[in-house]
Amino acid sequence: MKPLDEARAEVLASLPSLSTETVPAVQSLGRVTAEPAVTLESIPPFDNSAMDGYAVISLDTTDAPVELTVIEDVAAGSVPTKRVEHGAATRIMTGAPMPEGADAVVKVEDTESPDRDRVTVRCSVDAGRNVRPAGGDMSPGDVIVESGTRLTARHVASLASAGVNPMVSILPTVAIMSTGDEIVDPATERLEPGAIRDSNRALLRAMLAELDVPVLDLGIIGDDPVQLRAAYEKAAAEADLIISTGGVSMGDYDYVKQILGELGSVEFWRVAMQPAKPFAFGTVNGVPLFGLPGNPVSTFVSFEQFVRPALLHMMGATRILRTRLIGIMGEDVDTSEAKTVFLRVLLAQDANGPFVAVRSGGQGSNVLSGLANAEAFAVVPVGVGSLSAGDDVTLEMFNWPEGRRIDE
Ligand code: AMP
Ligand code: MG
């Protein structure tokens, strides 16, 4: 059996990289930067007021209270026309450009204005008070986002403010198919004897939707060499990555193995992990292929451990593995010492304490009910085997984005 880390490193090293494109900042959510995104401008572009109030010469306020003459009003979006001289002030709104001459803003709460032309400043202000200088956020040449970053809403906002359209990886098209004569459409109301509904494609589509990649759904392919061959050929012609499920274990009708053997260079691996030990990886007409085990929980685990990191890696992301943290096991568990075991767990947390993990249900690789509500993997490494209630345990959080590099 191959150790998981070794298998994953081998997979990543063999993947092609994708081409790049420039996209508008507002359409860049979830995309991975292919180069550092750099601002060419100062942000903010001009000195402006941080408060609604009065732009003044700070020295004029030293002996506050002091009365000043209001020479004009400047709202955000308009431009001051008059220079502030000693004894004068400009009524100014948050975000409006500072008038020449003024070096501070007195906030409106610290003033009284008997009429439009006069203001009494009650407190003194220092130079620079309540003024946001040009370039205070970013200056020309500043890197907004490093290369290899999967863009979040927060990055998008920063790019938008600088008017920068980032260079990003294209989104890979992913072909998916379920294989097996027993598999039927999930919309099937009454199951024939021996039939089961296709949960794997539902799972894959949903997991891929989270990565925003286009999906080529080739549907359910029976255990039939002609159909399988046609499906893999179409997938290789139209997609950047292929995922099929089923047919990679030891069964008699596993034509998947035969066809993959004929069409491409595919290896059948036994990875030291549970669930999801059997697993095929290679290329079909040069396009990377993952042949995932048919059991739905195995499909989930191998997607999380191999396919998702592979897609993020192809897109050039530096962080491709989900965030891990240390929690506490809430019950005794006995697992296989020879494999990395991914228990599906529920988490509880008292106040600000560590997460406490208990199994979320049945741990069989066919048991979806235990997976549905799970919040994390409790990862039991090779050589550990059993854990007792109260032991530290590594948690890999399902709903947290990838926070780890491959070597972390
Ligand atoms: P296989 O790897 O084809 O031998 O399938 C292993 C197990 O997973 C069998 O019990 C299959 O019925 C089940 N299975 C295979 N494909 C799917 C699917 N798309 N949805 C749900 N279960 C499946
Ligand atoms: Mg099968």
Side-chain angles (χ1 to χ4, degrees):
M1 285 191 293
K2 263 186 217 282
L4 170 60
D5 287 346
E6 217 172 90
R8 186 159 48 209
E10 217 176 297
V11 164
L12 297 178
S14 74
L15 295 168
S17 51
L18 298 165
S19 57
T20 59
E21 61 185 342
T22 298
V23 296
V26 293
Q27 285 163 29
S28 66
L29 180 65
R31 305 295 289 267
V32 177
T33 47
E35 60 178 31
V38 175
T39 177
L40 300 176
E41 294 175 15
S42 293
I43 307 294
F46 46 84
D47 294 349
N48 67 93
S49 177
M51 290 284 175
D52 293 337
Y54 294 83
V56 299
I57 296 169
S58 55
L59 278 178
D60 284 357
T61 68
T62 313
D63 300 323
V66 58
E67 189 177 282
L68 302 172
T69 305
V70 177
I71 53 171
E72 72 176 325
D73 279 35
V74 194
S78 62
V79 177
T81 59
K82 293 182 180 151
R83 186 182 169 86
V84 174
E85 308 285 358
H86 283 292
T90 291
R91 189 176 287 112
I92 192 165
M93 301 301 137
T94 304
M98 287 292 287
E100 261 182 69
D103 63 359
V105 171
V106 183
K107 60 178 192 275
V108 71
E109 294 88 332
D110 293 339
T111 67
E112 263 156 54
S113 185
D115 56 55
R116 303 273 330 147
D117 301 329
R118 287 176 301 157
V119 62
T120 303
V121 171
R122 283 197 306 246
C123 317
S124 68
V125 284
D126 295 331
R129 183 86 191 146
N130 297 326
V131 177
R132 304 188 291 210
D137 182 351
M138 296 179 252
S139 310
D142 281 358
V143 173
I144 306 170
V145 196
E146 293 293 351
S147 186
T149 306
R150 191 160 167 237
L151 298 173
T152 64
R154 290 161 281 116
H155 294 122
V156 170
S158 197
L159 292 165
S161 94
V164 171
N165 297 331
M167 170 91 88
V168 297
S169 163
I170 63 153
L171 291 170
T173 298
V174 180
I176 61 173
M177 67 183 97
S178 294
T179 72
D181 279 342
E182 77 282 29
I183 311 300
V184 299
D185 191 280
T188 307
E189 279 180 26
R190 194 193 294 262
L191 291 174
E192 297 294 334
I196 60 165
R197 293 191 187 88
D198 182 3
S199 51
N200 285 347
R201 256 180 335 126
L203 175 79
L204 290 174
R205 284 182 76 126
M207 307 262 283
L208 292 166
E210 202 206 313
L211 289 171
D212 242 0
V213 297
V215 172
L216 173 65
D217 189 344
L218 296 170
I220 300 164
I221 314 295
D223 290 310
D224 171 79
V226 176
Q227 276 189 50
L228 279 168
R229 172 182 281 271
Y232 281 118
E233 279 177 340
K234 183 172 165 65
E238 294 179 29
D240 299 295
L241 185 122
I242 307 166
I243 310 170
S244 66
T245 72
V248 293
S249 49
M250 299 295 158
D252 284 345
Y253 299 95
D254 288 345
Y255 291 110
V256 170
K257 283 185 165 176
Q258 181 198 321
I259 297 301
L260 288 176
E262 288 168 23
L263 277 180
S265 70
V266 175
E267 280 186 59
F268 295 86
W269 288 2
R270 293 174 71 240
V271 179
M273 66 193 279
Q274 192 185 338
K277 183 179 63 183
F279 163 76
F281 177 71
T283 55
V284 174
N285 297 337
V287 178
L289 163 114
F290 289 91
L292 306 185
N295 276 309
V297 180
S298 302
T299 293
F300 174 73
V301 174
S302 42
F303 186 92
E304 280 284 308
Q305 297 305 319
F306 284 97
V307 184
R308 194 171 188 283
L311 284 166
L312 290 168
H313 183 75
M314 284 171 82
M315 289 192 261
T318 47
R319 290 167 189 272
I320 62 175
L321 301 175
R322 289 207 198 261
T323 303
R324 286 185 169 184
L325 48 86
I326 297 292
I328 291 178
M329 203 63 214
E331 59 185 355
D332 297 348
V333 286
D334 238 335
T335 69
S336 160
E337 223 181 293
K339 299 172 191 164
T340 303
V341 178
F342 292 94
L343 299 170
R344 283 76 69 199
V345 297
L346 295 172
L347 303 175
Q349 192 183 24
D350 281 339
N352 296 323
F355 287 112
V356 178
V358 294
R359 284 166 293 187
S360 53
Q363 298 288 310
S365 61
N366 60 327
V367 180
L368 275 173
S369 59
L371 180 63
N373 293 307
E375 296 165 283
F377 286 132
V379 186
V380 189
V382 172
V384 173
S386 56
L387 290 173
S388 305
D391 284 353
D392 281 357
V393 66
T394 298
L395 301 173
E396 194 170 306
M397 310 296 281
F398 291 159
N399 293 324
W400 293 19
E402 52 290 337
R404 281 185 300 146
R405 297 165 191 267
I406 187 65
D407 51 6
E408 284 172 331

